[in-house]
Amino acid sequence: MIRYLLLVVDMSRAASAQDLRPNRLACILGLCRSFIREFFDQNPLSQLGIAIMRNGLVEKLTDLSGSPEAQVAKLDAGKLGSPAGDASLQNALDLSVSLLRSLPPYGHRELLVVFSALATCDPGNVLDSAKACKANNIRVSVVGVAAEVYVCRRITEETGGTYGVALNETHLEQLLLAHSSPPPATSAQAKAELVRMGFPQRSTEEASSAVFVGLEARLLSGNYTCPRCKARVPELPCECHICGLTLISSPHLARSYHHLFPVPPYHEDSKERAEEAAGVLIRQPAMRDEVPTSTGSYCFGCLREVSQPGAAGQLHLTLRCGRCKQVFCFECDAYVHEQLHNCPGCEFGGT
Amino acid sequence: MRFNLEGLTVYFPYEYIYPEQYRYMLELKRALDARGHCLLEMPTGTGKTITLLSLITSYQLAHKEVGKLIYCTRTVPEMEKVLAELAELIEYRAKYLGRGPGSNEILALGLSSRKNLCIHPRVAEEGSRESVDAGCRRLTASWVRERAAERVSRGTTEGGEEGGSSGGAVGEIELCDYFEGHERAGVEALLPPGVYTLSDLRDFGRKHGWCPYFLARHMMAFANVVVYNYQYMIDPKVSQMVSRELEKECVVVFDEAHNIDNVCIEALSVNLRKQTLEAAGRNLGKLSNSIRRAREADAARLQAEYNRLVAGLIAQGALRGGEDWLANPALPADVVQETVPGNIRRAEHFMGFLHRFLAFLRDKMASPVVTSQSPQVFLHELQERVQVDAKTLKFCYDRLSSLLKTLEITNTDEFTPIQLVADFATLVGTYAKGFAIIMEPYDERLPQVPDPVLQLSCLDASLAMKPVFSKFQSVVITSGTLSPIDLYPRILNFNPVAIQSFQMTLTRDCLCPVVVTRGADQMPMSTKFEMRGDPGVMRNYGRLLVDLSAVVPDGIVAFFVSYRYMDQIIAKWHDMGILQEIMQHKLIFIETQDVVETTLALDNFRRACDSGRGAVFLSVARGKVAEGIDFDRHYGRAVVMFGVPYQYTLSRILRARLEYLRETFQIKEADYLAFDAVRQAAQCVGRVIRSKADYGMMIFADKRYQRHDKRDKLPQWITRHLKEAHMNLSTDMMVHVAREFLRAMAQPYDRGAVGKSLLSEAALAALDAAGGLDGAGAAGA
């Protein structure tokens, strides 16, 4: 589940309109920043690049890469200058084709355009470029802010993308963030392929010591070591700057794949469930010494005390994983399902 | 689906039906049951055509005594559309009724002029309608064929086989293979049941070697559904030869009939220009020559004609070569069934008579002042000056056609001018009331250029419609815009058994009419005569279009009140830099009076909309574009009507007509003018909504639309969406409304919405049981 997404922000004349607060561009840039963070949060292995449309041209701001903060820093209204001229959808499509064409075929290739303008001023026929996108399996999606433009509707339909027009700021945010979860896989991309990846260990040096890390040789106190060439890298996920191996950690992988293999939902604990679970759990090795609690029950995630199901004066709702039969508190349930995408009980080998 | 409508089984080719379609059918059925005429208004985009076809063909099936369905359309593309929908319906019906003989199969065909149907390799290439007609006649006139037949028989006796090849050229006399093929087949030349569009007819003709035009004319007698042009029903010249044979029980439908009164009037009006008269003079010279030649060569023929006229045979149609040309321009009931008066029986005398009449007309045209006369005054003057009386004038047309046939003239297109003059004469002679003769020495707009026109103008639309209403049992007049609907029966002078205006049920508010009365500077906007020249008003109109083009995606259509005003305002906008500002957002295309140019502009307009560039089309109410071209979907996301499209009120013809309407039908001048203007405006803005999935802004930019007399005349399906808050907007408020509206419309919407705006078969059955839609209005929801 690897996505390559080119985000194109419209900075034509229309982006200076003030129907969104404070104006369209500022609003869009702000939302794009949160979109990029959300995107990498949901798809840690994916890559994203940014371009802007202005004066009938498309300017590439960043190459495709996997680090959110570098991208977010580029999307600053002060540095970008003011909106001007026309927007050209065709140039955006052409850029996406040239950038995304050479990427490995197992990834999703996507173009997301945030379109303020109501017209596209193109050097040629935009529909030809749309065909090229389709031929290269690029999925074009458009988020409009003003009104429905026929050509956008047509291109998105042809390439299998989505088209939404925002009613207001909140709706625009919804539309944008909807693109952070990956699209359904198309049959053309369904073939399986093996990708080599490394899972580096975090080096456990003393907190006070520091080493030179990464390409820029920054002095950092913690780092990861590439399992193949033993180079030190500062953060995950990234590509090793020496051997080019993709370096990630297991939670990243889990987050990327949670759309495919979601953690089974926890159910509210009840007396019957607790009895059934006790029968299963008794046969398993304990993870560590039981946590002594007054109620005799604790959350498997945070080890906090929770009340027994059905007990009088139950304070917290408790939940139980259907697979590993462990008890979780409400907060851990949210954390597991919304961010971690791994059930600690199941990972521990409960089943 | 198949459902029961008050005892009638209706076959409807779709799975669901709109409630308004159901109501429409109900109303139509009741009118047919009552054997009366009806007037039905239903918005476009609600499937009016299929509803009509579906009900009437089902009715025909159940009631064998009902005759043909005669479906009149305005244009050939509309005709094709009707036939395509009918084909779908028949296909669907076949599922229930089966195929093959005895299964009530339908024969439906479109009928058009020779120009659209001819398949003769050379004649079909001719440019105009008249020249194709003439080309055809040259090959198929009875005397040409007789002569060819003579030659063939002589050829076979003398020389043997060489002339025997039946088609093509016999000696130097050329005949049409297809016509001959059709003639040979005689009554055997039949079309198998089915739906035939014009191109189907041509293909069929080619395959069998039969002439499609004559085949279609022949098959009209056997067809269940005939689709043809308004003219074939209304224009007495055409209808007499095409529609005479139709039985009384036929159901006649006029679709898109909002302009039917104008069609009626045109059918009975004749315009003579200076060039026409000159050409008619030359025609006379030619005719005299051929009379002289005929007298020398074959005096017996002229004598025979004389004898025939004496015997009065002309009225009985026993004239040789009595094919379908040169029919009398007057209405059948008014054609005199008497013998031709003695003073024009001889060909030479008739020539003299025409010479005198022509001289009189020429004399009239030389006058430098505008005159308007009633027919009586005109006739009196005629009698005084050149001793021509009304009785003789009446026969002018018949006499001319008799003469042309006797002289065996085939190139009739050359003789059009003299025919026009004869038309004029016959109409003036026949009608004393409801006409005006108006002479204008120059065009009002260019007083320095002499361009005299002598117009015989029909003032009464009911004249041409009267025979239709009296002849046929049920006449259905329908359109998307017939408001105010009670005015039509008065203008056309008939008593409908049903008058109904239907609403469109919508799942969302997809039309947004607004009335813009002020510019952003709060100055009122109007095209009132005193205000239209004001640069402030022009600038405000310009700003409106600039602001609109910044918020509306894809296509915008703007209508002006006249070409003249459009030219003026565009020039002003250019000076003010408004055009350049619009160009920043959209391309600009302009309708001109040149058809080719306009077609090209439209084509490029569509391309600009398709490719996302966006475009504005500047057009004129009452123009070609306003009447026949759709701006559906993204081609028209907004339509602006700049001003109220009143007719040119100083026009003599309009003055005369208004006076006549006031005296005869008690219709106030202002009422009629407002009605006519608003119906044009409604036509224009109606161009953008062509289906329920469509959406569009409708902007009425004139402060006069705010007034009740205008607003009430708009069709209900528009006024229903006109919110109280949108009736008095300034430009900036309008822009805000447009922005909100377009955003809301861009949201995905559920086409299904079954039950709310669509009725399934089961829902209909329940409705029928509950006693109609009104009785159980909520049952469908």
Side-chain angles (χ1 to χ4, degrees):
Chain A
M1 193 53 68
I2 299 177
R3 303 168 68 189
Y4 298 100
L5 186 138
L6 178 65
L7 175 68
V8 178
V9 179
D10 180 2
M11 283 191 61
S12 67
R13 204 184 308 114
S16 54
Q18 307 206 324
D19 50 350
L20 302 176
R21 298 290 158 210
N23 63 27
R24 277 185 192 172
L25 185 66
C27 179
I28 288 171
L29 289 181
L31 291 175
C32 280
R33 282 194 287 271
S34 50
F35 163 73
I36 292 171
R37 292 204 182 94
E38 181 69 20
F39 176 83
F40 281 114
D41 198 48
Q42 298 251 349
N43 316 279
L45 298 180
S46 302
Q47 298 196 346
L48 182 142
I50 307 176
I52 56 167
M53 297 193 280
R54 180 160 54 185
N55 282 326
L57 301 173
V58 168
E59 301 165 33
K60 190 165 74 177
L61 284 186
T62 60
D63 273 318
L64 288 177
S65 73
S67 80
E69 287 313 314
Q71 315 266 19
V72 167
K74 284 276 187 182
L75 277 183
D76 179 23
K79 282 185 211 151
L80 285 174
S82 59
D86 297 308
S88 168
L89 213 48
Q90 190 185 17
N91 286 338
L93 296 179
D94 288 347
L95 179 72
S96 75
V97 170
S98 68
L99 273 182
L100 301 173
R101 189 173 45 198
S102 53
L103 290 168
Y106 52 77
H108 277 282
R109 300 162 178 180
E110 290 172 62
L111 170 65
L112 175 61
V113 184
V114 186
F115 202 53
S116 307
L118 288 174
T120 154
C121 195
D122 298 322
N125 189 350
V126 66
L127 296 175
D128 292 343
S129 299
K131 276 200 199 83
C133 283
K134 194 173 160 54
N136 286 298
N137 284 326
I138 297 172
R139 185 176 184 271
V140 182
S141 295
V142 179
V143 174
V145 297
E148 180 186 0
V149 181
Y150 168 76
V151 75
C152 295
R153 167 81 60 205
R154 178 145 172 210
I155 292 172
T156 50
E157 268 170 16
E158 270 178 19
T159 57
T162 59
Y163 181 38
V165 176
L167 292 168
N168 46 38
E169 290 87 341
T170 335
H171 190 216
L172 179 64
E173 187 176 6
Q174 279 174 13
L175 286 176
L176 264 179
L177 295 190
H179 286 281
S180 57
S181 47
T186 55
S187 57
Q189 295 159 324
K191 50 183 183 278
E193 229 173 297
L194 291 175
V195 186
R196 190 182 287 269
M197 284 182 184
F199 295 86
Q201 291 250 300
R202 184 162 173 88
S203 58
T204 49
E205 269 130 88
E206 300 248 332
S208 58
S209 67
V211 287
F212 289 106
V213 174
L215 196 56
E216 293 95 4
R218 279 182 289 157
L219 200 57
L220 293 176
S221 61
N223 62 78
Y224 298 89
T225 314
C226 168
R228 188 155 68 181
C229 64
K230 308 294 179 210
R232 298 190 188 100
V233 294
E235 57 175 22
L236 294 181
C238 68
E239 275 183 12
C240 172
H241 56 279
I242 305 291
C243 65
L245 187 66
T246 309
L247 301 177
I248 57 164
S249 67
S250 164
H252 286 140
L253 202 57
R255 281 226 297 275
S256 294
Y257 279 80
H258 77 270
H259 309 285
L260 296 179
F261 312 111
V263 183
Y266 295 168
H267 302 288
E268 194 179 329
D269 205 8
S270 63
K271 268 199 177 128
E272 297 81 55
R273 284 219 177 95
E275 277 160 23
E276 183 202 338
V280 179
L281 287 176
I282 202 91
R283 280 180 265 122
Q284 288 176 359
M287 181 184 172
R288 61 184 80 174
D289 297 334
E290 292 286 320
V291 179
T293 54
S294 57
T295 56
S297 176
Y298 62 94
C299 166
F300 194 77
C302 57
L303 304 181
R304 269 193 304 173
E305 176 180 303
V306 291
S307 48
Q308 284 283 2
Q314 184 180 6
L315 289 175
H316 303 284
L317 195 64
T318 56
L319 301 130
R320 200 178 276 275
C321 171
R323 202 152 20 149
C324 63
K325 310 292 181 196
Q326 298 287 6
V327 178
F328 292 92
C329 67
F330 198 67
E331 286 82 1
C332 285
D333 170 54
Y335 178 64
V336 165
H337 280 100
E338 283 164 24
Q339 295 185 27
L340 200 59
H341 304 298
N342 268 334
C343 171
C346 300
E347 291 291 303
F348 173 63
T351 51
Chain B
M1 64 174 140
R2 183 167 58 164
F3 61 92
N4 193 3
L5 183 85
E6 292 191 345
L8 175 74
T9 312
V10 178
Y11 297 88
F12 189 73
Y14 302 111
E15 218 170 305
Y16 298 103
I17 186 167
Y18 296 135
E20 63 267 31
Q21 288 179 320
Y22 183 79
R23 288 198 196 98
Y24 190 98
M25 284 189 181
L26 208 59
E27 206 62 46
L28 187 56
K29 177 183 175 288
R30 288 176 186 161
L32 290 180
D33 282 340
R35 294 160 193 270
H37 312 312
C38 60
L39 198 60
L40 301 170
E41 178 188 57
M42 185 156 86
T44 40
T46 45
K48 200 165 38 203
T49 310
I50 190 68
T51 313
L52 266 170
L53 290 173
S54 158
L55 184 90
I56 297 178
T57 50
S58 302
Y59 198 86
Q60 281 177 329
L61 196 66
H63 302 259
K64 294 286 178 222
E65 73 277 5
V66 172
K68 303 179 194 356
L69 163 61
I70 313 289
Y71 200 102
C72 304
T73 64
R74 287 182 310 177
T75 57
V76 173
E78 276 173 19
M79 186 191 290
E80 302 270 344
K81 225 159 61 188
V82 171
L83 285 166
E85 292 204 29
L86 185 63
E88 206 171 300
L89 172 66
I90 300 304
E91 190 60 31
Y92 176 79
R93 257 173 59 150
K95 270 202 293 194
Y96 290 99
L97 301 173
R99 287 174 191 284
S103 62
N104 292 312
E105 275 190 280
I106 273 188
L107 174 64
L109 49 91
L111 180 64
S112 184
S113 65
R114 289 186 177 88
K115 167 103 180 69
N116 293 321
L117 279 174
C118 184
I119 51 171
H120 188 277
R122 192 170 46 76
V123 177
E125 294 297 305
E126 298 272 354
S128 72
R129 195 160 56 85
E130 287 79 20
S131 52
V132 174
D133 285 0
C136 179
R137 222 158 273 136
R138 217 168 291 142
L139 302 180
T140 59
S142 54
W143 55 85
V144 176
R145 298 184 54 237
E146 267 168 34
R147 230 175 283 157
E150 260 170 46
R151 199 166 297 206
V152 170
S153 54
R154 224 184 305 140
T156 40
T157 48
E158 286 170 14
E161 304 293 290
E162 133 276 341
S165 65
S166 53
V170 181
E172 70 268 30
I173 298 174
E174 197 191 351
L175 295 176
C176 173
D177 287 353
Y178 298 106
F179 183 78
E180 297 302 315
H182 179 249
E183 279 293 297
R184 258 198 310 285
V187 285
E188 300 297 306
L190 292 177
L191 277 170
V195 178
Y196 294 89
T197 60
L198 298 184
S199 66
D200 291 342
L201 280 173
R202 281 196 300 268
D203 291 345
F204 186 86
R206 276 200 198 95
K207 215 166 90 202
H208 290 76
W210 294 342
C211 173
Y213 176 76
F214 287 96
L215 180 65
R217 291 280 305 278
H218 175 58
M219 288 312 293
M220 256 183 74
F222 306 93
N224 308 79
V225 182
V226 180
V227 184
Y228 60 36
N229 193 280
Y230 273 26
Q231 304 294 341
Y232 285 48
M233 185 53 80
I234 291 176
D235 191 340
K237 285 199 286 290
V238 195
S239 83
Q240 257 187 346
M241 62 198 205
V242 178
S243 313
R244 195 177 39 200
E245 312 274 295
L246 296 174
E247 60 270 39
K248 185 187 180 322
E249 288 78 18
C250 289
V251 179
V252 180
V253 175
F254 289 99
D255 197 3
E256 302 290 334
H258 44 270
N259 274 340
I260 194 166
D261 52 329
N262 294 340
V263 178
C264 293
I265 283 173
E266 267 164 42
L268 287 179
S269 298
V270 184
N271 281 7
L272 297 178
R273 305 193 96 82
K274 200 165 178 140
Q275 299 89 314
T276 325
L277 289 191
E278 278 163 13
R282 284 196 295 277
N283 286 164
L284 278 187
K286 241 187 220 158
L287 278 178
S288 308
N289 279 343
S290 34
I291 289 172
R292 203 171 323 115
R293 242 178 295 136
R295 172 97 39 222
E296 284 158 13
D298 185 9
R301 206 164 64 198
L302 285 173
Q303 188 56 41
E305 187 204 18
Y306 178 79
N307 294 341
R308 230 182 7 249
L309 292 177
V310 171
L313 281 179
I314 189 164
Q316 292 159 37
L319 195 59
R320 185 178 64 128
E323 296 108 350
D324 49 276
W325 57 294
L326 304 179
N328 197 306
L331 300 165
D334 305 317
V335 173
V336 271
Q337 305 288 333
E338 298 173 36
T339 51
V340 175
N343 55 354
I344 54 170
R345 277 186 206 153
R346 271 200 180 284
E348 288 84 356
H349 294 171
F350 182 55
M351 282 293 109
F353 163 81
L354 280 180
H355 269 300
R356 268 182 307 176
F357 184 62
L358 210 54
F360 176 74
L361 291 182
R362 251 190 238 120
D363 194 36
K364 257 203 120 34
M365 215 176 251
S367 138
V369 288
V370 181
T371 55
S372 173
Q373 287 176 321
S374 72
Q376 284 106 322
V377 177
F378 181 84
L379 287 176
H380 181 70
E381 201 180 330
L382 195 63
Q383 174 80 43
E384 296 260 293
R385 299 257 297 272
V386 287
Q387 319 296 320
V388 168
D389 64 341
K391 176 118 191 282
T392 325
L393 275 183
K394 254 187 237 181
F395 291 93
C396 193
Y397 205 88
D398 287 332
R399 184 64 190 89
L400 179 71
S401 69
S402 161
L403 181 69
L404 289 179
K405 282 172 191 165
T406 311
L407 293 176
E408 301 186 345
I409 280 163
T410 46
N411 47 345
T412 41
D413 51 339
E414 256 181 57
F415 288 91
T416 316
I418 189 71
Q419 285 172 39
L420 269 180
V421 172
D423 257 5
F424 187 96
T426 308
L427 285 174
V428 167
T430 314
Y431 296 101
K433 209 169 163 312
F435 280 80
I437 294 147
I438 292 159
M439 157 59 207
E440 283 177 302
Y442 46 78
D443 193 327
E444 296 266 347
R445 282 148 223 176
L446 301 163
Q448 60 279 31
V449 184
D451 178 23
V453 191
L454 188 61
Q455 304 166 77
L456 173 68
S457 167
C458 174
L459 305 175
D460 189 352
S462 66
L463 276 182
M465 277 310 274
K466 208 168 131 218
V468 179
F469 283 130
S470 57
K471 180 169 178 186
F472 297 106
Q473 182 173 303
S474 303
V475 177
V476 181
I477 293 181
T478 185
S479 172
T481 45
L482 282 178
S483 299
I485 204 160
D486 51 332
L487 199 58
Y488 281 87
R490 281 162 76 191
I491 295 180
L492 299 177
N493 197 15
F494 73 109
N495 270 331
V497 293
I499 295 190
Q500 194 61 252
S501 175
F502 299 92
Q503 307 257 316
M504 176 151 53
T505 46
L506 293 170
T507 44
R508 54 175 189 171
D509 280 339
C510 70
L511 27 154
C512 177
V514 297
V515 176
V516 181
T517 55
R518 293 160 287 149
D521 55 2
Q522 304 304 321
M523 293 299 289
M525 295 199 289
S526 176
T527 55
K528 238 167 45 186
F529 188 72
E530 309 86 72
M531 285 177 75
R532 60 166 62 172
D534 183 352
V537 172
M538 288 192 179
R539 188 175 48 245
N540 273 339
Y541 275 144
R543 296 302 327 167
L544 189 147
L545 200 55
V546 171
D547 291 349
L548 201 62
S549 60
V551 297
V552 175
D554 300 325
I556 298 179
V557 195
F559 288 99
F560 295 90
V561 289
S562 66
Y563 281 111
R564 196 156 166 232
Y565 185 60
M566 181 166 78
D567 291 349
Q568 211 179 331
I569 203 166
I570 287 176
K572 261 281 175 351
W573 284 356
H574 179 74
D575 294 343
M576 292 172 179
I578 283 170
L579 289 187
Q580 285 81 339
E581 271 185 73
I582 297 175
M583 292 280 262
Q584 287 196 335
H585 302 289
K586 293 188 189 306
L587 304 181
I588 300 177
F589 296 94
I590 300 174
E591 180 190 4
T592 62
Q593 268 148 323
D594 184 340
V595 179
V596 181
E597 237 171 47
T598 305
T599 317
L600 203 66
L602 262 175
D603 203 38
N604 283 321
F605 170 80
R606 294 229 164 88
R607 272 179 48 202
C609 292
D610 281 338
S611 66
R613 182 68 186 87
V616 182
F617 197 86
L618 304 180
S619 170
V620 169
R622 297 172 198 281
K624 259 233 148 16
V625 172
E627 264 302 312
I629 312 285
D630 287 350
F631 291 95
D632 54 343
R633 299 176 296 134
H634 59 287
Y635 297 126
R637 284 299 181 215
V639 56
V640 195
M641 181 73 237
F642 288 115
V644 186
Y646 278 112
Q647 283 190 52
Y648 179 60
T649 42
L650 297 180
S651 145
R652 296 278 160 180
I653 299 179
L654 184 64
R655 292 267 122 211
R657 179 150 186 233
L658 287 175
E659 207 167 293
Y660 183 82
L661 283 175
R662 197 185 52 222
E663 282 167 8
T664 323
F665 301 120
Q666 286 79 48
I667 297 171
K668 274 191 247 148
E669 291 180 17
D671 271 356
Y672 179 79
L673 284 174
F675 149 74
D676 186 67
V678 175
R679 114 178 126 173
Q680 290 303 332
Q683 251 319 290
C684 293
V685 297
R687 297 283 105 197
V688 293
I689 299 280
R690 268 9 224 176
S691 80
K692 292 196 174 192
D694 209 354
Y695 64 88
M697 289 280 296
M698 299 174 168
I699 297 155
F700 297 95
D702 194 308
K703 65 170 184 174
R704 286 174 290 174
Y705 284 112
Q706 194 193 343
R707 292 216 302 257
H708 268 292
D709 63 324
K710 307 285 180 308
R711 225 166 51 208
D712 294 349
K713 293 189 172 74
L714 284 171
Q716 266 188 28
W717 57 275
I718 295 182
T719 42
R720 202 168 55 125
H721 292 271
L722 185 57
K723 297 191 189 100
E724 198 64 49
H726 291 173
M727 285 191 199
N728 185 9
L729 296 182
S730 63
T731 304
D732 43 342
M733 289 150 85
M734 182 275 296
V735 167
H736 184 73
V737 170
R739 215 174 246 158
E740 294 297 308
F741 171 73
L742 291 167
R743 282 217 175 103
M745 284 299 117
Q747 301 312 313
Y749 107 104
D750 173 22
R751 267 156 214 265
V754 179
K756 196 162 157 214
S757 71
L758 290 170
L759 301 173
S760 66
E761 199 169 332
L764 274 183
L767 265 184
D768 199 53
L773 207 61
D774 305 320

